Amino acid sequence: MTKKMVYNWKSWWRSLHKNNYFVIKLGISIIFVGLAIRLLYNRSSDFPPVSTIPLLQNAQISTAPVLSDQIIPQGYGLEPIDNEGKCNLFTGDWIPSQDEPFYTNRSCSFIEEPQNCMKNGRSDTGYLYWRWKPRGCDLPRLHPSRFLDLMRNKSWALIGDSISRNHVQSFLCTLSTVEKAIEVYHDENYKSRRWIFPSYNFTVSVIWSPFLAEAAIFEDMNGVSSSEIELHLDVLDKNWTELYKDLDYMVFSSGKWFVKSAIYYENNNILGCHYCPKRNLTELGFNFAYRKVIRKVFDYIIASNHKGMIFYRTSTPDHFEDGEWFSGGSCKRKLPAKEGEFGLNELNKILRVIELEEFEKASVKASENGVNLKLFDVNPLSLLRPDGHPGPYRFFQPFAKDKNVKVINDCLHWCLPGPIDSWNDLMMEMVVNG
């Protein structure tokens, strides 16, 4: 881990204006999110043309209203937060394991095509034989039948974007080795869905809510926008709020969708926007909106008097190397990375700092109100797994006809089975001993 240094956000902002190279670097990092957003929005295996993605090099990052005035160590946002002196489940190492995955791409029908790496032609399997080992404590492997017994007559919901959908597939595949889940609900576009394990009366839902707040999204099925997103910063998404009180366990997450062009509303009045050069509106920055919405979500949770367990999952990094998604970037590694080998890009650092700052404040209030709010901090352990993404195998047999064909890589989502299965081990440990 790099040595901590004092880092002042206001000084950072001033230097950002003075350093054109950094602006370009930040702009490129933000452009990458075009891939992330496309992946996060659509179930299709197609990517949008570059022309559909705004030139976000000119986008602004808001200053004092969003970024904390306090002195922040440079490493802040990269390391897992301390858990009151207890063993931190999210500080550890990936170690070799001889254990077979609970499921395969053939045994589980819940895997969607873009994450079905083996079916799509990925031939190496070494990425399957690693397990997450926290330093100073043990992390038992999830026991599907015991977990289902524990969850009898309970309900789970994973709320967010396509990484939540990726995770719910892993969750269902693992538990369905005991009893196969049956789908009992889906919305028109199969984005929000619910399954039940009949013998246990245990339900698992994925709720599509990429902003967690009310948003009008003007995109077709190819991810092409006809207008800016209209995001209401003061109104939470009823897709999850209407179900909230009846859920026993929830995993919230958000992040990269906030980089898209959007007009921001409060009290049904336009407050400003993020990247709307054709409109005469105040540029507020995506981080302004992200902090506002996360704070609103936490305030809702804190005031809810909910008696279940609520997780906030941190955003996950990508692992593009030798370019971005639009310039030949790929993820060809076959082994986990060593600590310090990968760092978060500037965009992901900003998102992560906001998440950790807002969670730290919210967790104190939640504890005072008797609400069981936990940080599900998968960012650090995910950063060490560049080998676990579909890469070119988001597409079916991409090199069958031409070994040298140029293919856009997916270095954001996770192969199934794959590293994301360890998230289930962490969830069970936090439920049982949290």
Side-chain angles (χ1 to χ4, degrees):
M1 185 63 62
T2 58
K3 187 176 181 179
K4 292 185 177 180
M5 298 177 61
V6 173
Y7 193 82
N8 185 286
W9 274 110
K10 288 187 173 180
S11 297
W12 176 87
W13 177 245
R14 288 193 292 268
S15 66
L16 175 62
H17 279 285
K18 295 178 182 178
N19 193 329
N20 291 330
Y21 173 77
F22 186 80
V23 173
I24 293 171
K25 181 180 177 183
L26 178 61
I28 291 173
S29 297
I30 293 175
I31 284 181
F32 149 71
V33 177
L35 169 64
I37 298 308
R38 181 62 181 88
L39 293 173
L40 294 170
Y41 179 68
N42 200 353
R43 301 174 73 235
S44 164
S45 61
D46 296 327
F47 287 82
V50 174
S51 60
T52 68
I53 299 169
L55 296 176
L56 295 179
Q57 296 99 318
N58 299 319
Q60 298 295 310
I61 300 170
S62 56
T63 51
V66 174
L67 296 176
S68 174
D69 289 338
Q70 65 184 324
I71 302 300
I72 303 173
Q74 187 173 19
Y76 188 82
L78 300 179
E79 302 171 352
I81 64 172
D82 182 57
N83 187 21
E84 299 177 354
K86 300 178 183 178
C87 173
N88 194 322
L89 294 173
F90 303 102
T91 301
D93 305 280
W94 291 95
I95 64 173
S97 173
Q98 298 300 315
D99 293 334
E100 292 289 335
F102 280 112
Y103 61 94
T104 69
N105 65 309
R106 293 180 179 177
S107 69
C108 184
S109 61
F110 299 105
I111 305 173
E112 293 184 2
E113 293 299 318
Q115 286 78 54
N116 200 333
C117 301
M118 291 184 181
K119 179 181 178 181
N120 290 343
R122 181 168 179 172
S123 59
D124 65 298
T125 59
Y127 66 96
L128 299 174
Y129 297 99
W130 297 85
R131 68 180 180 88
W132 179 247
K133 174 65 172 68
R135 295 172 193 161
C137 58
D138 292 323
L139 176 64
R141 201 178 189 199
L142 182 142
H143 194 291
S145 61
R146 291 176 187 169
F147 188 83
L148 286 170
D149 280 332
L150 185 66
M151 292 295 114
R152 196 176 294 274
N153 302 317
K154 301 293 185 181
S155 58
W156 274 78
L158 284 75
I159 304 163
D161 51 38
S162 67
I163 300 295
S164 295
R165 185 168 65 232
N166 198 174
H167 185 195
V168 85
Q169 294 169 43
S170 166
F171 196 39
L172 292 171
C173 285
T174 299
L175 298 180
S176 288
T177 57
V178 175
E179 177 180 76
K180 186 171 183 179
I182 299 172
E183 186 177 72
V184 292
Y185 166 80
H186 63 78
D187 64 7
E188 182 179 358
N189 295 315
Y190 286 82
K191 290 186 177 295
S192 293
R193 306 171 74 176
R194 183 166 62 253
W195 298 264
I196 188 169
F197 292 85
S199 298
Y200 300 87
N201 191 32
F202 172 49
T203 60
V204 176
S205 302
V206 59
I207 301 174
W208 176 254
S209 185
F211 291 100
L212 302 178
E214 182 179 305
I217 302 172
F218 304 98
E219 293 186 356
D220 63 20
M221 291 304 294
N222 291 315
V224 178
S225 300
S226 59
S227 184
E228 298 93 345
I229 292 163
E230 295 179 356
L231 179 60
H232 293 261
L233 304 180
D234 58 339
V235 182
L236 297 178
D237 186 0
K238 66 180 181 180
N239 282 343
W240 65 265
T241 59
E242 290 183 349
L243 302 173
Y244 178 86
K245 65 181 178 62
D246 296 320
L247 295 165
D248 298 298
Y249 298 86
M250 285 165 275
V251 184
F252 289 91
S253 61
S254 190
K256 293 184 174 68
W257 270 78
F258 280 82
V259 183
K260 300 205 79 170
S261 297
I263 298 172
Y264 301 144
Y265 289 78
E266 280 190 346
N267 298 317
N268 288 319
N269 295 316
I270 294 177
L271 190 65
C273 73
H274 171 59
Y275 192 73
C276 54
K278 296 180 180 180
R279 299 178 182 267
N280 186 24
L281 296 174
T282 303
E283 171 65 49
L284 295 175
F286 68 88
N287 51 340
F288 173 86
Y290 191 41
R291 189 180 292 272
K292 277 261 188 181
V293 171
I294 286 185
R295 188 171 293 173
K296 183 76 175 179
V297 170
F298 285 146
D299 287 346
Y300 181 92
I301 292 170
I302 291 165
S304 69
N305 197 34
H306 197 282
K307 299 306 180 186
M309 185 175 287
I310 302 167
F311 300 88
Y312 194 89
R313 176 179 60 75
T314 51
S315 52
T316 54
D318 64 271
H319 290 95
F320 285 93
E321 293 187 270
D322 302 319
E324 301 296 336
W325 72 270
F326 54 85
S327 58
S330 61
C331 38
K332 299 178 180 179
R333 299 202 183 202
K334 302 295 194 298
L335 295 171
K338 296 178 181 178
E339 187 174 349
E341 191 172 354
F342 271 93
L344 297 178
N345 62 34
E346 298 303 325
L347 168 68
N348 287 321
K349 285 181 183 178
I350 292 168
L351 295 176
R352 181 160 172 75
V353 166
I354 292 171
E355 291 167 353
L356 296 189
E357 284 188 346
E358 292 304 316
F359 179 85
E360 186 173 10
K361 289 181 287 188
S363 63
V364 174
K365 296 178 182 177
S367 180
E368 292 172 353
N369 285 15
V371 175
N372 195 358
L373 176 64
K374 295 183 176 296
L375 187 69
F376 192 49
D377 194 14
V378 298
N379 183 290
L381 61 98
S382 300
L383 188 62
L384 301 178
R385 293 307 305 269
D387 57 325
H389 300 290
Y393 300 105
R394 172 178 170 81
F395 305 96
F396 180 72
Q397 302 292 336
F399 305 113
K401 294 182 179 180
D402 182 357
K403 293 182 179 179
N404 298 315
V405 68
K406 299 295 183 182
V407 179
I408 293 176
N409 286 263
D410 178 0
C411 302
L412 175 66
H413 294 88
W414 303 96
C415 290
L416 294 175
I420 200 172
D421 295 326
S422 289
W423 296 9
N424 303 323
D425 302 338
L426 289 161
M427 285 198 312
M428 181 171 183
E429 179 65 16
M430 294 177 76
V431 168
V432 173
N433 296 315

